[in-house]
Amino acid sequence: DLFSFGALLYEMATGLLPFRGETAGMIFESILNRAPPPAIRLNPDIPPKLEEIINKALEKDRNLRYQHALEMRADLQRLKRDIESGRSALAAASMASASVVPRLIGDWRSKRSITLAAILALFAVAIAFSVQTFLRRGRGRLFQASSMSRLTTTGKVTDAAISPDGRYVAHVVDDLGKQSLFVRQIQVARSSNVEIVPPSGALYYGLIFSKDGDYVYYLKKQTTTPWASLCRVAALGGDIVCFADHIDTPISFSTDGKKFAFVRRILDRGESQLVIANSDGSQERVIATRTYPQDFGGDDSGPAWSPDGKIIACGFGDSVLCDMTVVGVNAEIGKQMQLTAHRWFRVGRLMWMPDAAGLVMLGTPRSQFTYQLWFLSYPAGEARNGVSNLWSFPLDGSKPKQLTNFQSDLVWSFTSSPDGTQLAVARGMSASNAFLINNVQ
């Protein structure tokens, strides 16, 4: 939760809690109605830009807070770069008095100050711990029917997607706050990564190939706008077309690829809408609406259109209390039904199994902030607990098989080919690379 992480940053920067009170009720009232004392007043040694990041993370209006973990990560990386290059000192000089500037530069390593390296390291844990247990347990023998190959070596991959025919992997590279999009032909020996979207200061995420594999769709969010635009580029590069605005989650295509679904949040009305549109963005149709604090989606949790085209699965719950589950919405008439009685603190990415017998999903148990991998059976709605590595769960109830045996690093995102035989995984520590896992069974 980015608000909670903002509170942790505040405490690291000042040594004090941002919201205090003698009782739980007083603390809760402070969280809802009171702004914490300015961090820079309590610790003049911190850069003004860091205070801006903290304030944005602690914004009372959730629609004005950071909407995406990558957005906050980019701001922290940009500040780290500026500090290391000395540009932040020049910027601070124009805003601070002469008495403050020497402290800013000379006392940066004092006991009361914090290093951005520590912040970034903690932030990496906070946003990637969603799958850290994915890697730390399960030390058993690697499933022999699978193989894994490293696709990138830059350590800067933040998202990845595999094409329906298994020929290409697209991935986002973040280099010093500038993001670009690359594609690689994975069935050709010694193929290289080809840039298809040039670097920019915008955030790129939510990658997905069109059903025919000819195009890569992605979300592009400028730092000056509260929402993202949906863009499309040919799989091997070409003209970039951004054709739909105000897209708040990754999209999911219908089986025939003629339509896609997404979540849109209308801030002034406090509404969360599940929307269907044609593949070119035309003829939008709202099929379901919820009112704040009830919300469709979650942390980067876009809808997932079932293989038979009948149901759109989506995270749903109370975004204030962080009490979420998974619902199914009829793609034609918008009727909603709860797919499971299980509740999570947060719901992350959802993905249908190729035969529509269940979903693979990320979810945080009610007692912790850690994302775990779950299998949600359909239509029974049985939620099987998260695991430490990538596993195969046979639908006949036979013994699960472990597909990976990662000994280190973190998984940032994953996706599978439609036939379920290949996985593309972005993994690393504060840096991440793309890997291809073949012959998944």
Side-chain angles (χ1 to χ4, degrees), residues 324-345:
M324 302 197 71
T325 187
V326 180
V327 297
V329 181
N330 185 289
E332 290 297 325
I333 63 176
K335 182 180 179 180
Q336 301 173 40
M337 59 181 176
Q338 194 165 315
L339 296 185
T340 179
H342 197 92
R343 315 293 294 192
W344 290 271
F345 187 81

Side-chain angles (χ1 to χ4, degrees), residues 70-82 87 120 156 158 172-180 198-204 221-223:
L70 289 177
E71 182 183 356
M72 191 177 189
R73 177 171 176 259
D75 281 351
L76 289 169
Q77 287 182 322
R78 194 173 294 112
L79 177 57
K80 179 176 182 292
R81 177 198 63 191
D82 292 346
R87 288 195 295 270
L120 287 172
K156 301 172 182 178
T158 62
V172 176
V173 172
D174 188 317
D175 189 3
L176 298 176
K178 299 286 187 179
Q179 295 196 350
S180 50
S200 79
L203 295 174
Y204 298 143
K221 184 181 183 301
Q222 301 287 357
T223 57

